[in-house]
């Protein structure tokens, strides 16, 4: 257990501090205990950070107030990650915690490496019932909500007393504020912009977020996979821990050195890699294999530097040597890695100081052309360079 400053979400950290980070988000009314059957095994290969919603578990209730939005919870998670020096992390969350993960992946793609959305939704239905529940809890506490919780959370015949006790111990005002978040939450417009590899897990007997909600998420996120769990309701990590654990372990499995092609695709995009592979000849094949194995399978997978940092270094090196074709390609990669035009411009300006004004002048022209193309998708493919070595 970790002692947490009063303005941060309470969290519990497990696993090696130098392992890839994996944040685990909770459902409304639960605590870090929701992940008790899943986290210990995942912590063998990951630095697990479970966190509590405001007013839940050990988190201060004052972190959230009436009328809060999903962005408020997302900002609290980012603040927690910053406090732990986690610039990039994978994320899995249940229900409200899953929605937070969707928001993070859509609005801060540079922070989220891989994503799992468990028994959740991009839109939690008509806001009316959520507002009614918030009003009830503010007026009468959590007693009535707790009476019906088992029916919403678990299949008939199953229960988890620890989680029900956690619900009764939750601060009513913070619980109600989380209901406000759910009432106004609509992440559907941003699903197509999620680039983190995503798996969606649904409980087939979940009345709170039915399988149709999971399918909507999986259909909306490019390349997302969907797993439906039989004999599972809303709190699947508690009811079917082994099944959830197996899906998450496979999805978040640390990528070994040598998985260069996958990383190459994530950074440069499928279209570029497909063109490079299609143009490969018997003569160039050894060099293509070398690039995938060494540059992408060894250097770019080293967790010492983030992909944002690697993009900045790469842009500078390409400016210095005047490799304008690959500079264009890596401007696109820098955007994919979370850098914006202002950050790219700042990097080119810095390069101008040390590489010379003519080099920076040419680089700004290349970058401006690429960024303009990326803002006009219909022109992008026509404007791209031919396949490069990277």
């Amino acid at each position: 257990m970790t002692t947490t400053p009063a303005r941060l979400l309470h969290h519990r950290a497990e696993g090696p501090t130098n392992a890839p980070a994996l944040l685990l988000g909770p459902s409304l009314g639960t605590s870090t205990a929701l992940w008790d059957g899943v986290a210990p095994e995942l912590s063998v290969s990951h630095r697990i950070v479970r966190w509590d919603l405001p007013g839940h578990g050990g988190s201060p209730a004052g972190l959230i107030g009436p009328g809060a939005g999903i962005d408020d919870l997302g900002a609290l998670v980012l603040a927690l990650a910053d406090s732990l020096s986690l610039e990039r992390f994978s994320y899995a969350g249940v229900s409200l915690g899953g929605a937070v993960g969707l928001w993070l992946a859509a609005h801060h793609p540079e922070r989220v490496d891989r994503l799992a959305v468990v028994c959740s939704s991009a839109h939690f239905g008509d806001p009316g019932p959520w507002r009614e529940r918030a009003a009830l809890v503010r007026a009468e506490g959590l007693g009535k909500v707790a009476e019906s919780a088992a029916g919403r959370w678990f299949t008939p015949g199953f229960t988890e007393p620890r989680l029900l006790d956690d619900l009764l111990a939750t601060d009513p005002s913070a619980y109600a504020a989380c209901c406000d978040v759910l009432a106004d939450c609509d992440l559907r417009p941003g699903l197509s912009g999620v680039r983190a590899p995503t798996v969606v897990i649904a409980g087939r007997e979940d009345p709170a977020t039915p399988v149709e909600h999971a399918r909507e998420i999986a259909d909306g996120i490019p390349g997302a996979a969907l797993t439906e769990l039989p004999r599972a309701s809303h709190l699947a990590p508690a009811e079917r821990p082994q099944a959830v654990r197996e899906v998450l372990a496979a999805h978040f499995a640390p990528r070994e050195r040598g998985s260069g092609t996958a990383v190459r695709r994530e950074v440069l995009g499928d279209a570029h890699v497909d063109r490079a592979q299609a143009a490969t000849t018997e003569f160039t094949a050894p060099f293509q294999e070398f690039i995938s194995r060494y540059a992408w399978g060894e250097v770019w997978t080293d967790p010492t530097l983030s992909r944002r940092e690697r993009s900045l270094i790469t842009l500078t090196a390409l400016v210095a040597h005047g490799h304008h074709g690959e500079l264009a390609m890596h401007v696109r990669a820098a955007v994919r890695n979370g850098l914006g035009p202002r950050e790219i411009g700042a990097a080119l300006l810095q390069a101008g100081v040390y590489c010379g004004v003519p080099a920076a002048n040419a680089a700004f022209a290349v970058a401006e052309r690429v960024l303009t193309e990326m803002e006009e998708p219909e022109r992008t493919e026509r404007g791209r360079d031919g396949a490069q070595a990277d």
Side-chain angles (χ1 to χ4, degrees):
M1 194 67 68
T2 304
T3 301
T4 306
R7 298 308 301 171
L8 286 175
L9 294 168
H10 172 262
H11 69 283
R12 177 177 179 180
E14 306 157 86
T17 57
N18 61 345
L22 173 56
L23 272 59
L24 301 179
S27 175
L28 176 67
T30 69
S31 71
T32 58
L34 175 61
W35 293 100
D36 279 352
V38 176
E41 185 167 315
L42 294 180
S43 69
V44 173
S45 57
H46 287 80
R47 182 186 183 187
I48 300 296
V49 179
R50 314 186 217 177
W51 59 272
D52 281 326
L53 288 162
H56 295 58
S59 286
L63 292 176
I64 196 173
I70 193 72
D71 55 330
D72 294 307
L73 291 179
L76 287 171
V77 172
L78 289 177
L80 173 61
D82 290 343
S83 75
L84 299 172
S85 299
L86 303 179
E87 182 174 349
R88 191 167 176 87
F89 49 82
S90 291
Y91 184 96
V94 182
S95 194
L96 178 53
V100 171
L102 286 173
W103 184 88
L104 290 170
H107 291 82
H108 294 275
E110 76 281 2
R111 305 297 297 269
V112 181
D113 185 36
R114 303 179 81 80
L115 175 66
V117 183
V118 184
C119 299
S120 188
S121 179
H123 179 248
F124 291 84
D126 183 353
W130 291 111
R131 300 197 192 287
E132 292 171 4
R133 189 190 297 190
L136 172 66
V137 171
R138 287 183 174 114
E140 302 181 21
L142 283 156
K144 290 185 178 179
V145 171
E147 290 175 3
S148 58
R152 295 190 306 273
W153 285 357
F154 309 118
T155 58
F158 182 89
T159 190
E160 181 53 68
R162 165 72 186 279
L163 293 177
L164 294 171
D165 290 343
D166 283 342
L167 172 59
L168 285 170
T170 298
D171 181 88
S173 64
Y175 182 99
C178 288
C179 290
D180 293 340
V181 173
L182 290 165
D184 292 330
C185 182
D186 189 354
L187 300 167
R188 292 173 294 183
L191 292 178
S192 63
V194 173
R195 292 293 177 262
T198 301
V199 64
V200 184
I201 301 175
R204 288 184 180 167
E205 298 182 49
D206 181 357
T209 53
V211 173
E212 290 75 16
H213 290 218
R215 290 173 183 159
E216 182 177 45
I217 296 172
D219 289 344
I221 297 176
L226 172 63
T227 297
E228 299 179 17
L229 301 181
R231 303 182 305 282
S233 187
H234 192 52
L235 299 189
E239 188 166 12
R240 297 291 311 280
Q242 181 176 350
V244 172
R245 192 168 59 237
E246 289 174 354
V247 175
L248 296 186
H251 183 62
F252 293 122
R255 285 161 286 180
E256 298 178 357
R257 299 290 179 88
S259 60
T261 299
V263 178
R264 188 181 182 188
R265 287 183 177 278
E266 290 173 8
V267 174
L268 298 181
D270 288 334
H272 169 82
V273 177
D274 288 343
R275 285 196 303 274
Q277 291 180 341
T280 300
T281 65
E282 183 177 355
F283 178 71
T284 62
F287 182 68
Q288 287 293 325
E289 192 279 333
F290 167 78
I291 288 296
S292 292
R293 172 173 50 82
Y294 182 65
W296 298 104
E298 294 288 335
V299 176
W300 275 86
T301 55
D302 183 345
T304 306
L305 298 176
S306 70
R307 288 187 183 176
R308 285 166 55 87
E309 292 168 327
R310 292 190 182 281
S311 279
L312 290 170
I313 294 169
T314 302
L315 292 177
T316 303
L318 293 173
V319 171
H321 287 276
H323 297 313
H324 296 153
E326 295 209 4
L327 176 62
M329 178 177 62
H330 276 280
V331 168
R332 298 185 191 100
V335 173
R336 191 174 288 109
N337 285 339
L339 294 175
R342 291 184 62 185
E343 293 165 305
I344 293 171
L348 299 184
L349 194 63
Q350 180 88 3
V353 174
Y354 296 96
C355 302
V357 171
N361 184 52
F364 267 102
V366 171
E368 185 172 40
R369 171 175 60 81
V370 171
L371 293 171
T372 299
E373 289 172 357
M374 295 185 76
E375 292 175 355
E376 302 176 19
E378 69 275 8
R379 293 174 49 197
T380 300
E381 290 301 324
R382 293 200 302 272
R384 286 186 176 173
D385 305 280
Q388 277 92 34
D390 270 3

